[in-house]
Amino acid sequence: AVSRRHEKRIEAEQERSEKLLLNILPPAIAERLKNNESVIADRHPEVTVLFADIVGFTPWAAKTPAEQLVARLNRIFSHFDDLCAEFGLEKIKTIGDAYMLCGGIDGGAEDGARAVVAAGLKMIEAIEEEASEADSTPLALRIGVHTGELVAGVIGKRKFSYDLWGDAVNTASRLESSGEPSRIQISQATAKLLGDHFPIEEERTVSLKGIGDFPVSFIAQSDASSS
């Protein structure tokens, strides 16, 4: 009886460890890590990366009690986590008040790009709902999306993380920083994968650091319900 209780405790611990691993890593990557694969790194030809930054968060954070700040940020990012699950996307990480995700990493570039943009529109909706609360300082979300080749892998031994590297990541980040509040700025590479699912609201050329003049588009917000 004692031995069986001990086995149950071990099984429960293993189950908790597996759930924690799946919260951090994509299932296929978690399986490879469990199989003691020494270096986990893959090159992907066409992945869509989204960067989102909360406009107005920094000045609000400077005058807000720590608990209130963290609670609000947690509420926002938890909603974004739910959207990742809903649209079958991979959350990569948060950096301060910025959020990074990707789609199409397991193949299906078109479906990945469309899911990323659909989730991005829902993220903007979520911020607008959050900002509509009477006791909340208005916030907005600025989003950049780009599709391209990148490397994905696991780094670290203790606090390990699944991350992305490459020009596609840098370009998506620059599209976010050069964008506008409450809008999704996308590259032509992403636009080509969307078909007619998301009508383009505006086309323009922006100057991106290290890249130069770069043609981009904005997604029409009115199509937030598209998928």
Side-chain angles (χ1 to χ4, degrees), residues 33 70 169 203:
L33 194 65
V70 173
V169 179
E203 296 182 359

Side-chain angles (χ1 to χ4, degrees), residues 136-181:
S136 293
T137 301
L139 301 174
L141 202 64
R142 187 175 55 222
I143 294 178
V145 177
H146 177 57
T147 306
E149 183 182 33
L150 52 75
V151 172
V154 177
I155 55 173
K157 290 185 177 181
R158 295 179 181 175
K159 294 184 178 180
F160 50 78
S161 66
Y162 183 70
D163 210 344
L164 311 177
W165 300 271
D167 288 341
V169 179
N170 298 333
T171 302
S173 176
R174 291 184 176 115
L175 288 177
E176 176 275 308
S177 60
S178 66
E180 297 178 6

Side-chain angles (χ1 to χ4, degrees), residues 39-83:
V39 178
I40 297 177
D42 302 293
R43 187 173 295 277
H44 300 275
E46 209 167 15
V47 174
T48 299
V49 181
L50 177 151
F51 272 91
D53 186 71
I54 303 176
V55 181
F57 190 84
T58 300
W60 177 79
K63 59 183 181 181
T64 303
E67 288 186 7
Q68 185 180 344
L69 185 153
V70 173
R72 190 177 193 191
L73 196 58
N74 181 62
R75 187 164 62 245
I76 292 169
F77 284 172
S78 292
H79 195 149
F80 292 176
D81 289 350
D82 291 340
L83 289 172

